[in-house]
Amino acid sequence: MARGKGATIGFVPTMGALHEGHKSLLDYARKENEVVVCSIFVNPTQFNNADDLKHYPRPQSEDIQLLEESHCDILFEPSVEEMYPGKDYTLLNEDFGMLDKVMEGKSRPGHFAGMITIVSKLFQLVNPDIAYFGRKDFQQLMLIKYFVTEHKLPIIIRDCPTIRDKDGLALSSRNKRLSETERMDALLIPQSLRKVKEMWRKYPVEEIKETVQNLFSDESGLGLDYFEIVYEPTLEPVIDGQTRKLPVVACIAAKAGKVRLIDNLVIQ
Ligand code: AMP
């Protein structure tokens, strides 16, 4: 109906447990569109870890409150049966080249197939003009942009900056699961990214990588999953002496206790 009147639809897909990071996406959408739609769907097919899915926070009434405060017009909160009728969990078999083979793709097999399947389904149902995604999930954003371009979908993808707590930790729904000590330990993630930015161009890539690995020693309380320095949007690793005229992004994934956290920073 809104579209009939020439209104544009801004769409913010989420998995709920909304925080200021999600709110910033909703605020961008509010500024640019007559109608703002938010979806909340904890997509089972993008979890490669059953424990992570089971413990994913689902604070429904707080979410609704944040959506009201953000002047969101429509909340779409489908059931698993609605999104995967008849328990048909067939996933899109998209060729992303190397985009889904590195970093998160390597560490979480199947994650991106699940993610792109649900994003594609949501795009078809909501049919937005502009969809808003956070740079916090940098690799996801690169895949979605690639997908939209490849399929010539008439949707603008807006990337929105990562919102952080005052101490630098990137906001994430999973932060709710951190103990006090784990929350403190997790600060090493943004700290190491800032260190990388300081070292960038002054030291060889390998030396920077070694420094980060050393920062995540046994005493750090964190388990480093990966640290990579890649070009945007190709996600190719940066190699000394082969510089390309593209932005460079430092990406990190680490575990604090049972909680896996990711973060990234543009360093060039
Ligand atoms: P999620 O609910 O974690 O699937 O995230 C939904 C959307 O919010 C994605 O586009 C995320 O990249 C984005 N998002 C999550 N955390 C942040 C953050 N700290 N800052 C900005 N965007 C975020």
Short mmCIF file of all heavy atoms in Angstrom, two decimals, residues 13-16 19 21-22 24-25 56 132-134 136-137 140 161-163 170-171 173, ligand 1:
data_model
loop_
_atom_site.label_atom_id
_atom_site.label_comp_id
_atom_site.label_asym_id
_atom_site.label_seq_id
_atom_site.Cartn_x
_atom_site.Cartn_y
_atom_site.Cartn_z
N PRO A 13 17.18 -5.83 8.50
CA PRO A 13 17.04 -7.22 8.97
C PRO A 13 17.92 -7.47 10.19
O PRO A 13 19.09 -7.06 10.21
CB PRO A 13 17.53 -8.06 7.78
CG PRO A 13 18.15 -7.10 6.80
CD PRO A 13 18.02 -5.70 7.32
N THR A 14 17.36 -8.13 11.19
CA THR A 14 18.13 -8.43 12.42
C THR A 14 17.76 -9.81 12.96
O THR A 14 16.79 -10.41 12.52
CB THR A 14 17.83 -7.41 13.55
OG1 THR A 14 16.61 -7.79 14.19
CG2 THR A 14 17.73 -6.00 13.06
N MET A 15 18.54 -10.21 13.97
CA MET A 15 18.18 -11.44 14.70
C MET A 15 17.70 -11.09 16.11
O MET A 15 17.69 -11.94 17.00
CB MET A 15 19.38 -12.38 14.76
CG MET A 15 19.80 -12.84 13.36
SD MET A 15 20.67 -14.40 13.34
CE MET A 15 22.10 -14.01 14.31
N GLY A 16 17.35 -9.81 16.31
CA GLY A 16 16.82 -9.41 17.61
C GLY A 16 17.89 -9.19 18.66
O GLY A 16 19.07 -9.07 18.34
N HIS A 19 20.18 -3.58 20.08
CA HIS A 19 21.00 -2.66 20.87
C HIS A 19 21.23 -1.40 20.04
O HIS A 19 20.65 -1.25 18.95
CB HIS A 19 22.32 -3.34 21.27
CG HIS A 19 23.03 -4.00 20.12
ND1 HIS A 19 23.53 -3.31 19.04
CD2 HIS A 19 23.30 -5.31 19.86
CE1 HIS A 19 24.10 -4.14 18.20
NE2 HIS A 19 23.95 -5.38 18.66
N GLY A 21 23.55 -0.52 18.18
CA GLY A 21 24.04 -0.77 16.81
C GLY A 21 22.86 -0.93 15.86
O GLY A 21 22.79 -0.30 14.80
N HIS A 22 21.89 -1.75 16.26
CA HIS A 22 20.67 -1.92 15.45
C HIS A 22 19.93 -0.60 15.35
O HIS A 22 19.41 -0.24 14.31
CB HIS A 22 19.75 -2.97 16.08
CG HIS A 22 20.34 -4.34 16.19
ND1 HIS A 22 20.66 -4.92 17.39
CD2 HIS A 22 20.68 -5.25 15.25
CE1 HIS A 22 21.15 -6.13 17.20
NE2 HIS A 22 21.18 -6.36 15.90
N SER A 24 21.06 2.36 15.37
CA SER A 24 21.67 3.30 14.41
C SER A 24 21.22 2.96 12.99
O SER A 24 20.97 3.85 12.17
CB SER A 24 23.20 3.29 14.53
OG SER A 24 23.73 2.12 13.95
N LEU A 25 21.07 1.68 12.69
CA LEU A 25 20.59 1.27 11.36
C LEU A 25 19.15 1.76 11.15
O LEU A 25 18.79 2.28 10.09
CB LEU A 25 20.62 -0.25 11.22
CG LEU A 25 21.88 -0.92 10.66
CD1 LEU A 25 23.14 -0.51 11.36
CD2 LEU A 25 21.74 -2.44 10.67
N TYR A 56 21.11 -18.09 21.93
CA TYR A 56 21.00 -16.76 21.33
C TYR A 56 19.90 -15.99 22.08
O TYR A 56 18.78 -16.48 22.22
CB TYR A 56 20.68 -16.84 19.83
CG TYR A 56 21.09 -15.58 19.13
CD1 TYR A 56 22.41 -15.40 18.71
CD2 TYR A 56 20.19 -14.53 18.93
CE1 TYR A 56 22.82 -14.23 18.11
CE2 TYR A 56 20.60 -13.35 18.33
CZ TYR A 56 21.90 -13.21 17.92
OH TYR A 56 22.30 -12.04 17.34
N TYR A 132 19.67 -1.83 5.10
CA TYR A 132 20.73 -1.29 5.95
C TYR A 132 21.47 -2.41 6.68
O TYR A 132 20.82 -3.23 7.35
CB TYR A 132 20.12 -0.30 6.96
CG TYR A 132 19.48 0.88 6.26
CD1 TYR A 132 18.21 0.76 5.69
CD2 TYR A 132 20.15 2.08 6.12
CE1 TYR A 132 17.63 1.81 5.01
CE2 TYR A 132 19.58 3.14 5.44
CZ TYR A 132 18.32 3.00 4.88
OH TYR A 132 17.75 4.04 4.20
N PHE A 133 22.79 -2.40 6.55
CA PHE A 133 23.61 -3.43 7.20
C PHE A 133 24.78 -2.77 7.91
O PHE A 133 25.30 -1.74 7.46
CB PHE A 133 24.13 -4.43 6.16
CG PHE A 133 23.04 -5.28 5.57
CD1 PHE A 133 22.37 -4.88 4.43
CD2 PHE A 133 22.66 -6.48 6.17
CE1 PHE A 133 21.36 -5.65 3.89
CE2 PHE A 133 21.64 -7.26 5.63
CZ PHE A 133 20.99 -6.85 4.49
N GLY A 134 25.22 -3.39 9.00
CA GLY A 134 26.32 -2.83 9.78
C GLY A 134 27.66 -3.32 9.27
O GLY A 134 27.81 -4.47 8.85
N LYS A 136 29.96 -3.85 11.16
CA LYS A 136 30.40 -4.79 12.19
C LYS A 136 30.54 -6.20 11.59
O LYS A 136 31.48 -6.92 11.89
CB LYS A 136 29.35 -4.77 13.32
CG LYS A 136 29.27 -5.97 14.19
CD LYS A 136 30.34 -5.96 15.22
CE LYS A 136 30.16 -7.02 16.27
NZ LYS A 136 29.73 -8.31 15.78
N ASP A 137 29.58 -6.57 10.72
CA ASP A 137 29.64 -7.87 10.04
C ASP A 137 30.16 -7.63 8.63
O ASP A 137 29.43 -7.74 7.64
CB ASP A 137 28.26 -8.53 10.05
CG ASP A 137 27.80 -8.80 11.47
OD1 ASP A 137 28.21 -9.82 12.03
OD2 ASP A 137 27.08 -7.96 12.03
N GLN A 140 29.96 -10.33 5.83
CA GLN A 140 28.54 -10.50 5.46
C GLN A 140 28.12 -9.38 4.51
O GLN A 140 27.46 -9.62 3.49
CB GLN A 140 27.69 -10.47 6.74
CG GLN A 140 26.21 -10.26 6.51
CD GLN A 140 25.44 -10.35 7.80
OE1 GLN A 140 25.27 -11.43 8.36
NE2 GLN A 140 24.93 -9.23 8.30
N PRO A 161 28.22 2.45 9.96
CA PRO A 161 29.41 2.24 10.81
C PRO A 161 29.14 1.37 12.04
O PRO A 161 28.00 1.30 12.52
CB PRO A 161 29.79 3.66 11.25
CG PRO A 161 28.59 4.50 11.00
CD PRO A 161 27.80 3.86 9.92
N THR A 162 30.18 0.76 12.53
CA THR A 162 30.10 -0.07 13.75
C THR A 162 29.91 0.83 14.97
O THR A 162 30.69 1.77 15.18
CB THR A 162 31.38 -0.90 13.92
OG1 THR A 162 31.53 -1.73 12.77
CG2 THR A 162 31.34 -1.75 15.18
N ILE A 163 28.91 0.53 15.76
CA ILE A 163 28.68 1.28 17.00
C ILE A 163 29.36 0.50 18.14
O ILE A 163 29.22 -0.72 18.25
CB ILE A 163 27.17 1.45 17.29
CG1 ILE A 163 26.47 2.09 16.08
CG2 ILE A 163 26.93 2.24 18.57
CD1 ILE A 163 26.92 3.49 15.73
N ALA A 170 32.84 -3.48 20.32
CA ALA A 170 31.74 -3.36 19.36
C ALA A 170 30.47 -3.96 19.97
O ALA A 170 30.52 -5.04 20.56
CB ALA A 170 32.09 -4.09 18.07
N LEU A 171 29.36 -3.26 19.85
CA LEU A 171 28.11 -3.79 20.38
C LEU A 171 27.73 -5.05 19.61
O LEU A 171 27.91 -5.11 18.39
CB LEU A 171 26.99 -2.76 20.27
CG LEU A 171 27.17 -1.49 21.09
CD1 LEU A 171 25.95 -0.58 20.94
CD2 LEU A 171 27.41 -1.79 22.56
N SER A 173 24.80 -8.57 20.05
CA SER A 173 23.79 -9.26 20.87
C SER A 173 24.46 -10.31 21.74
O SER A 173 23.99 -10.63 22.84
CB SER A 173 22.75 -9.93 19.97
OG SER A 173 22.22 -8.98 19.08
P1 AMP B 1 22.34 -9.22 13.92
O1 AMP B 1 21.08 -8.99 14.67
O2 AMP B 1 23.54 -9.40 14.79
O3 AMP B 1 22.20 -10.24 12.85
O4 AMP B 1 22.64 -7.85 13.16
C1 AMP B 1 21.67 -7.21 12.37
C2 AMP B 1 22.32 -6.04 11.68
O5 AMP B 1 22.83 -5.14 12.66
C3 AMP B 1 23.50 -6.44 10.80
O6 AMP B 1 23.49 -5.65 9.63
C4 AMP B 1 24.68 -6.12 11.67
O7 AMP B 1 25.85 -5.85 10.95
C5 AMP B 1 24.18 -4.87 12.38
N1 AMP B 1 24.94 -4.65 13.61
C6 AMP B 1 25.16 -5.53 14.62
N2 AMP B 1 25.96 -4.98 15.56
C7 AMP B 1 26.25 -3.73 15.13
C8 AMP B 1 27.05 -2.66 15.64
N3 AMP B 1 27.71 -2.77 16.79
N4 AMP B 1 27.14 -1.52 14.92
C9 AMP B 1 26.49 -1.40 13.73
N5 AMP B 1 25.72 -2.36 13.19
C10 AMP B 1 25.60 -3.51 13.88
#
